[in-house]
Amino acid sequence: ETAIRVALAPLLILFIIQDQAHLFLSVLAFSLFTDAIDGYLARRLNQVTELGIRLDSWADLITYAVMLLGLIQLWPELFERESNYLVIAFSSWIVPLLVCQARFGCFPSYHTFAAKIAAVSVAPAYFIATLSDNSLIFRGVLLFYLWVALEQVIITSILPRWQGNIAGFWVAASLARNHSEDSGSGSG
């Protein structure tokens, strides 16, 4: 399903160019639904792989970029009004990425519980904001990304080596502690 999201991006861009907001939202809803199904099925069928984790992160990036482009082109007033919150959300995405790139040379791809809450929340918030011009929930979700970013920076800082699908910083702390204990017992 990750490939479906990537394949739908050009179609979404075409709808943006053609100023087809309703078609854009319909296909975007399908794309976001496949994201939810993809993660669920991968875990349920025990098909989680490092490559799949990384590809999912790239598909997320592409989807979010198209959503932003949609705001800019299809709902310019909404984009203008929410631009400060969007800058905060973008910054809270880029900082953990840069930290993880510097430390491990890759995307964080931790898929923490907080990141999953944010990802699940951003879709309805986006739809509510674009369809009803009510952006209170959208702002809240964008600000919640600050916590997601902080948690990802903490995880990157304490993990002994990169690992995907970390439920939260407490799991990373446990992994770091276990690594430290294993390293300490081997040196004696």
Side-chain angles (χ1 to χ4, degrees):
E1 287 80 8
T2 299
I4 292 172
R5 285 191 296 147
V6 173
L8 288 174
L11 183 60
L12 288 165
I13 292 169
L14 177 65
F15 291 145
I16 292 169
I17 292 168
Q18 294 178 344
D19 199 29
Q20 297 289 324
H22 283 74
L23 287 173
F24 171 80
L25 289 174
S26 297
V27 173
L28 178 62
F30 177 72
S31 175
L32 294 169
F33 176 74
T34 64
D35 183 27
I37 294 298
D38 181 38
Y40 172 77
L41 288 177
R43 287 184 299 279
R44 180 87 172 159
L45 301 173
N46 200 24
Q47 297 292 315
V48 177
T49 65
E50 186 175 317
L51 177 62
I53 292 167
R54 291 177 190 237
L55 290 175
D56 183 65
S57 292
W58 278 101
D60 289 344
L61 170 63
I62 291 166
T63 302
Y64 291 148
V66 170
M67 289 170 73
L68 180 61
L69 183 61
L71 279 182
I72 292 167
Q73 290 297 120
L74 298 172
W75 299 277
E77 304 83 23
L78 177 62
F79 173 77
E80 176 83 23
R81 189 176 66 234
E82 304 307 322
S83 60
N84 290 334
Y85 292 93
L86 290 162
V87 166
I88 290 168
F90 179 75
S91 299
S92 67
W93 174 81
I94 198 75
V95 169
L97 173 65
L98 293 174
V99 171
C100 196
Q101 280 291 329
R103 176 110 198 268
F104 298 123
C106 62
F107 263 80
S109 300
Y110 299 133
H111 300 114
T112 63
F113 185 65
K116 289 176 184 177
I117 290 171
V120 167
S121 302
V122 78
Y126 186 90
F127 283 87
I128 290 168
T130 56
L131 293 172
S132 71
D133 201 33
N134 181 343
S135 34
L136 184 62
I137 297 169
F138 189 59
R139 289 178 180 180
V141 171
L142 294 176
L143 289 174
F144 183 68
Y145 274 98
L146 289 172
W147 167 252
V148 173
L150 176 62
E151 184 177 43
Q152 289 187 353
V153 168
I154 291 169
I155 290 170
T156 300
S157 300
I158 63 177
L159 274 180
R161 63 178 177 71
W162 181 87
Q163 180 176 332
N165 283 344
I166 303 289
F169 66 88
W170 64 89
V171 173
S174 176
L175 290 169
R177 190 172 38 257
N178 292 342
H179 177 76
S180 177
E181 290 170 359
D182 292 344
S183 297
S185 65
S187 62

